[in-house]
Amino acid sequence: MTDSNFASLAVVVVNFGSAALLEENLQPLSRSAPGLHVVVVDNFTDVAEQARVAVIAEREGWQHVLSPTNRGFGGGMNLGVARAQESGRTHFLLLNPDAAIPTDQVARLLEAVTLHPLTLVSPRILRPDGTVWFDGSDLYLEDGRVRATRKRGDDPGIRVTPWLSGACLLISDDLWRRVGGFSDDYFLYWEDVELSHRVLLAGGEVTVCADAYATHAQGGTQGAGQHSAGQAKSYSYYYYNVRNRLVYAARNLTDDDRRRWRRRSVPAAWEVISRGGRRQLLSSLQPLLAAARGLRDGLAYRPVPASTPTPAPTRTT
């Protein structure tokens, strides 16, 4: 597939205070594929940031949407895809500002989805040093743990469902409409887990294209959702990771699985805090406060409108 086949493709990026990353990562992709349709949604941080985004977008020929509020990652992506649909695009590359992908790698993802329109595809995502950051992940239905797919052999027989990181995804318009895009209930983190779940429920597949790669600068933006182990995280990281694990359970699990997840809420919250290292607690109690509030709000969450939980698709190893 050549670059000329990008006529169906739109690249959708949600910006949140990271205009410099747009120039660093998105600009090279856009310039290497003239005519590639790019939609940048700016989730409001301040007027100066929106002015920077507007200047960059107008210079590069990108469509830009300046949201008056912060819609969150999923809400911003939904808005960006809607604008791309209005422009007649039928394939969408959903990309984080701190992720970079060469044109030829985009072509591989697009070819995979063109051949299999009901497949949600991610490349292997590498760190800047070339080590693997993401090459597939599993959600463990017994307790809500998340582990790399390559570690399935460590837990033979356990129930898992695969999911793909929202840092870099390619999806067809047909599949996007079937699943309804991202849920707005998460705001940040876990929305990509549920999107993958919806794809499977719709009869689609979630696949890592092993022949394609992107590069991810860890923690480059709040929307990335991942940071280096042992590095202190933001309040939002702790709050939404703790809360949204329980939101996912309430929205998608059977009664038995949901009860198991809820019983394990406190140790699961501590695991989230521990990702930032214990030393952070010597100088600030914010991680504990964020996690406590996340627990409170996650346990209180009820889907609106109420719906009957559907068992998650499982893979037995």
Side-chain angles (χ1 to χ4, degrees):
M1 178 173 290
T2 64
D3 297 352
S4 62
N5 295 102
F6 287 164
S8 71
L9 182 67
V11 180
V12 182
V13 178
V14 175
N15 178 71
F16 182 74
S18 53
L21 290 175
L22 298 177
E23 293 185 295
E24 180 180 345
N25 297 317
L26 183 58
Q27 180 178 288
L29 172 61
S30 175
R31 291 185 176 182
S32 66
L36 180 64
H37 190 69
V38 175
V39 180
V40 175
V41 177
D42 182 74
N43 272 337
F44 185 81
T45 51
D46 56 46
V47 174
E49 174 70 5
Q50 290 206 326
R52 286 191 289 270
V53 170
V55 168
I56 296 169
E58 290 170 7
R59 183 187 70 214
E60 300 298 325
W62 303 338
Q63 183 177 8
H64 59 286
V65 183
L66 305 181
S67 175
T69 60
N70 182 357
R71 294 169 173 257
F73 175 77
M77 277 294 177
N78 289 344
L79 179 57
V81 170
R83 294 299 174 89
Q85 289 171 325
E86 292 171 1
S87 300
R89 306 294 162 146
T90 56
H91 295 89
F92 314 112
L93 177 66
L94 314 180
L95 193 65
N96 269 358
D98 57 0
I101 183 168
T103 309
D104 61 336
Q105 305 302 303
V106 175
R108 292 179 182 180
L109 298 180
L110 182 58
E111 182 174 25
V113 171
T114 301
L115 291 173
H116 304 284
L118 296 185
T119 300
L120 178 68
V121 174
S122 167
R124 291 182 303 114
I125 304 177
L126 309 177
R127 300 182 183 89
D129 64 4
T131 57
V132 174
W133 178 75
F134 177 86
D135 61 354
S137 191
D138 288 333
L139 176 65
Y140 284 56
L141 297 178
E142 295 294 329
D143 55 17
R145 285 180 297 145
V146 170
R147 298 188 72 190
T149 301
R150 60 182 178 273
K151 296 182 178 180
R152 277 185 188 173
D154 297 345
D155 297 289
I158 200 164
R159 293 182 303 133
V160 300
T161 186
W163 65 276
L164 301 179
S165 167
C168 183
L169 294 170
L170 205 146
I171 188 170
S172 70
D173 182 63
D174 185 3
L175 185 55
W176 180 266
R177 292 179 187 274
R178 290 192 187 205
V179 302
F182 288 104
S183 168
D184 292 334
D185 283 10
Y186 292 91
F187 190 78
L188 192 63
Y189 309 125
W190 281 79
E191 62 279 287
D192 46 8
V193 183
E194 181 164 301
L195 181 72
S196 300
H197 173 76
R198 290 182 180 184
V199 167
L200 295 172
L201 289 181
E205 295 287 337
V206 295
T207 301
V208 175
C209 182
D211 295 332
Y213 71 87
T215 303
H216 181 237
Q218 293 174 281
T221 176
Q222 180 66 50
Q226 302 288 344
H227 305 262
S228 299
Q231 174 185 336
K233 317 292 194 285
S234 68
Y235 182 97
S236 294
Y237 179 93
Y238 297 118
Y239 173 80
Y240 284 111
N241 269 292
V242 171
R243 172 189 180 270
N244 289 348
R245 170 183 173 274
L246 292 163
V247 170
Y248 181 91
R251 291 173 57 87
N252 299 294
L253 299 185
T254 63
D255 289 343
D256 287 345
D257 285 334
R258 184 166 56 249
R259 281 192 288 267
R260 276 193 292 270
W261 283 36
R262 290 170 73 93
R263 284 196 296 267
R264 196 178 176 276
S265 293
V266 172
W270 178 249
E271 289 174 7
V272 172
I273 294 172
S274 298
R275 295 172 194 169
R278 295 186 179 185
R279 294 183 56 132
Q280 63 181 324
L281 301 178
L282 298 176
S283 58
S284 174
L285 295 180
Q286 285 297 304
L288 293 173
L289 179 60
R293 289 177 174 170
L295 277 174
R296 176 199 64 191
D297 295 345
L299 290 168
Y301 173 85
R302 297 293 182 272
V304 179
S307 59
T308 302
T310 304
T314 64
R315 301 286 177 90
T316 302
T317 59

